[in-house]
């Protein structure tokens, strides 16, 4: 397990070598803060786990696409899993190597496919036959052979939140594993495609690795069947999905032993293994810092109103997600039980309900923990709220990695 970069020193919360309150006062709130060293360590843990097995760790950009984070991962040698032209643009701006980029997603547009082929990406993870036809025609126009993997759907229940579970028959994702051999045969007959990969992603935030292993074994069996039909599969993409603990009682799955068991299972098959982790690289490395505006006791309960809202972090409202809420300064005052809510005009705008928490007062800061993944990227301007600033801490240094939006930014395109 990688120890958290957030820890109290003399009752004040630090991230790496910097006191969070110092950053919050200087950069304002709401504010995302990320630990650079934690992100690097989390990436390296994946990279190291593969040992001698040929591999490519493709960071899932959707989890957190801040340029500073992408640049840091690019310099570590990471590949990238993208799901849009915009993500490819960011990766290239950050100095990412296009030859290490895989393009996933169920609805790539013609323009996006052209941009990806022009940029020379590694491969496409394809999710339908119509998409294969489109990629083939564009690749032919560019005079190249596009490498494709079919994302197969193995009908394995990821046992995670229904909105982020993707491996069942009724989901929009992937190609039914039972139909895959025939689709590969048709792809192999298209003149500008090289179907040399298989990919699979069954869902996100998996704390139990058993469903991932079940899916992996089904996919390996498919690789063997395809090779028997002379379809030369060279790479296998395991998808993302390893979860992180959001509650103190949850256990982080052991990434190293999970990857090692994947490597062991495909020994002697000479396959390059790819993986697309997002959350487990950036999630625990980030926190959302917010200031308490009011305490509001009512007849039935107490509310703590903070200056961050569902537009800044939508996970509690959208997935009933839990984020620990801790004070930047610990006090001896007895704990309270409260709902922590934001200023947005919706009852769904809450971060916690009936939560036992520190006895914070207006003006105090609190941090919503494990917010580095699917936090800022899912933020919006709802209620015409400028989006939060992002700060990257590296050892004893910190800097703003994205400025807080100004009112003028809000109307810039109108
Ligand atoms: N690969 C594919 C094809 C994916 O769809 C995803 C995530 C990943 C990789 C990265 O998965 P990870 O390692 O981060 O679990 N917004 C939700 C999570 C959505 C996940 C979407 N796909 C949340 O906040 O929980």
């Amino acid at each position: 397990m990688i120890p958290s970069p957030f820890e109290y020193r003399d009752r004040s919360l630090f991230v790496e070598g910097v006191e969070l309150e110092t950053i919050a006062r200087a950069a304002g709130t709401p504010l995302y803060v990320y630990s650079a060293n934690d992100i690097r360590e989390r990436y390296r843990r994946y990279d190291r786990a593969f040992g001698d097995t040929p591999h490519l760790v493709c960071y899932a950009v959707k989890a957190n696409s801040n340029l500073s984070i992408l640049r840091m991962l690019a310099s570590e040698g990471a590949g990238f899993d993208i799901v849009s032209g915009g993500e490819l643009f960011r990766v290239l701006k950050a100095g990412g190597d296009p030859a290490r980029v895989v393009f996933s997603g169920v609805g790539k547009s013609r323009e996006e496919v052209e941009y990806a082929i022009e940029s020379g990406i590694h491969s496409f993870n394809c999710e339908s036959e119509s998409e294969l036809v489109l990629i083939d025609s564009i690749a032919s126009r560019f005079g190249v052979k596009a490498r494709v993997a079919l994302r197969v759907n193995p009908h394995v229940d990821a046992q995670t939140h229904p909105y982020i579970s993707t491996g069942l028959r009724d989901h929009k994702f992937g190609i039914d594993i039972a139909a895959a051999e025939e689709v590969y045969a048709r792809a192999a007959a298209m003149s500008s495609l090289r179907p040399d990969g298989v990919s699979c992603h069954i869902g996100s935030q998996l704390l139990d690795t058993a469903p991932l292993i079940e899916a992996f074994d089904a996919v390996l069996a498919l690789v063997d069947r395809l090779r028997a039909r002379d379809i030369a599969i060279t790479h296998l993409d395991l998808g993302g999905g390893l979860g992180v603990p959001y509650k103190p009682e949850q256990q982080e799955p052991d990434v190293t032993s999970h990857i090692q068991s994947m490597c062991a299972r495909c020994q002697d098959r000479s396959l390059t293994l790819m993986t697309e982790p997002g959350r487990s690289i950036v999630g625990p490395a980030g926190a959302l810092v917010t200031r308490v505006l009011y305490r509001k006791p009512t007849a039935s309960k107490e509310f703590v109103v903070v200056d961050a809202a569902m537009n800044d972090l939508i996970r509690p409202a959208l997935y009933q997600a839990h984020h620990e809420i801790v004070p930047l300064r610990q006090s001896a005052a007895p704990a309270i039980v409260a709902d922590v809510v934001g200023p947005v005009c919706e009852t769904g705008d809450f971060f916690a309900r009936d939560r036992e928490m520190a006895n914070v007062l207006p003006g105090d800061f609190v941090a919503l923990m494990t917010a580095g993944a699917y936090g800022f990227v899912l933020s919006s301007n709802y209620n015409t709220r400028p989006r939060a600033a992002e700060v990257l801490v590296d050892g004893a240094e910190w800097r703003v990695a994205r400025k807080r939006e100004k009112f003028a930014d809000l109307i810039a395109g109108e």
Side-chain angles (χ1 to χ4, degrees):
M1 232 193 70
I2 296 177
S4 172
F6 294 89
E7 61 170 19
Y8 285 101
R9 295 187 202 155
D10 284 337
R11 300 184 156 254
S12 182
L13 191 60
F14 276 64
V15 55
E16 299 201 27
V18 189
E19 191 177 31
L20 271 172
E21 192 165 320
T22 308
I23 310 178
R25 289 197 186 278
T29 52
L31 176 71
Y32 276 96
V33 179
Y34 312 116
S35 155
N37 280 301
D38 195 42
I39 295 172
R40 284 191 198 101
E41 266 316 302
R42 291 179 164 278
Y43 166 76
R44 289 176 190 163
R45 178 179 56 160
Y46 272 98
D47 193 41
R48 274 195 301 261
F50 284 96
D52 295 337
T53 306
H55 65 277
L56 187 53
V57 179
C58 294
Y59 166 67
V61 175
K62 65 169 82 70
N64 186 324
S65 57
N66 184 285
L67 279 186
S68 298
I69 291 176
L70 300 182
R71 196 173 298 126
M72 198 166 79
L73 290 169
S75 70
E76 291 284 318
F80 296 93
D81 168 49
I82 58 160
V83 291
S84 70
E87 287 191 350
L88 177 55
F89 176 74
R90 279 185 174 274
V91 166
L92 298 177
K93 280 279 176 215
D97 177 1
R100 290 165 178 262
V101 169
V102 289
F103 197 159
S104 301
V106 72
K108 305 169 190 80
S109 72
R110 167 177 295 277
E111 292 74 19
E112 288 175 323
V113 171
E114 284 170 353
Y115 179 31
I117 289 183
E118 268 181 319
S119 307
I121 68 162
H122 176 276
S123 56
F124 293 90
N125 287 339
C126 296
E127 305 217 12
S128 66
E129 288 205 63
S130 334
E131 185 189 334
L132 289 172
V133 171
L134 176 74
I135 296 175
D136 179 58
S137 77
I138 296 172
S140 137
R141 191 148 46 74
F142 280 86
V144 297
K145 254 189 186 280
R147 296 179 74 176
V148 297
L150 295 193
R151 172 173 174 180
V152 295
N153 188 335
H155 316 306
V156 171
D157 187 352
Q159 284 155 22
T160 183
H161 190 280
Y163 288 6
I164 54 176
S165 175
T166 56
L168 293 176
R169 208 171 259 119
D170 283 350
H171 293 149
K172 71 178 175 182
F173 298 100
I175 290 172
D176 190 330
I177 196 162
E181 279 175 71
E182 294 315 313
V183 183
Y184 271 98
R186 289 195 282 278
M190 296 186 199
S191 60
S192 299
L193 293 188
R194 178 141 64 94
D196 62 355
V198 181
S199 81
C200 179
H201 171 83
I202 59 168
S204 191
Q205 182 54 10
L206 277 80
L207 290 174
D208 175 12
T209 55
L212 288 170
I213 291 175
E214 187 184 339
F216 187 74
D217 287 343
V219 166
L220 265 188
L222 173 67
V223 169
D224 293 342
R225 292 198 299 277
L226 291 170
R227 284 180 165 178
R229 296 177 66 149
D230 280 339
I231 294 173
I233 301 298
T234 60
H235 69 273
L236 187 49
D237 183 336
L238 320 168
L242 280 187
V244 300
Y246 284 96
K247 297 180 181 169
E249 66 270 23
Q250 287 174 329
Q251 274 268 328
E252 181 162 19
D254 184 339
V255 165
T256 306
S257 69
H258 175 67
I259 296 291
Q260 285 170 348
S261 101
M262 301 288 193
C263 294
R265 287 179 134 74
C266 49
Q267 253 184 0
D268 303 331
R269 280 191 177 85
S270 66
L271 278 169
T272 295
L273 288 186
M274 296 166 67
T275 177
E276 304 167 350
R279 189 192 313 265
S280 48
I281 292 199
V282 289
L288 172 59
V289 178
T290 176
R291 195 192 267 268
V292 177
L293 298 175
Y294 304 105
R295 290 266 300 254
K296 178 176 172 175
T298 68
S300 60
K301 54 165 65 187
E302 174 148 27
F303 294 95
V304 172
V305 186
V306 297
D307 69 358
M310 66 190 290
N311 74 295
D312 299 300
L313 177 67
I314 204 173
R315 302 194 70 258
L318 195 54
Y319 316 107
Q320 297 78 47
H322 177 101
H323 289 269
E324 285 289 295
I325 301 178
V326 301
L328 295 203
R329 264 178 202 285
Q330 291 175 316
S331 80
I336 57 166
V337 172
D339 281 19
V340 180
V341 300
V344 160
C345 306
E346 298 220 21
T347 304
D349 180 27
F350 62 87
F351 291 128
R353 286 185 156 157
D354 299 321
R355 179 77 63 87
E356 186 173 314
M357 64 180 289
N359 198 332
V360 287
L361 297 172
D364 290 349
F365 296 103
V366 295
L368 284 96
M369 304 306 291
T370 324
Y374 307 111
F376 183 86
V377 285
L378 273 161
S379 68
S380 75
N381 292 123
Y382 188 40
N383 278 205
T384 307
R385 289 168 50 86
R387 276 182 295 173
E390 295 176 285
V391 158
L392 189 65
V393 175
D394 198 347
E397 320 252 286
W398 68 274
R399 64 185 177 79
V400 174
R402 181 180 163 115
K403 288 185 195 155
R404 180 177 309 287
E405 281 178 342
K406 296 196 161 65
F407 286 164
D409 298 322
L410 297 173
I411 57 167
E414 293 176 32

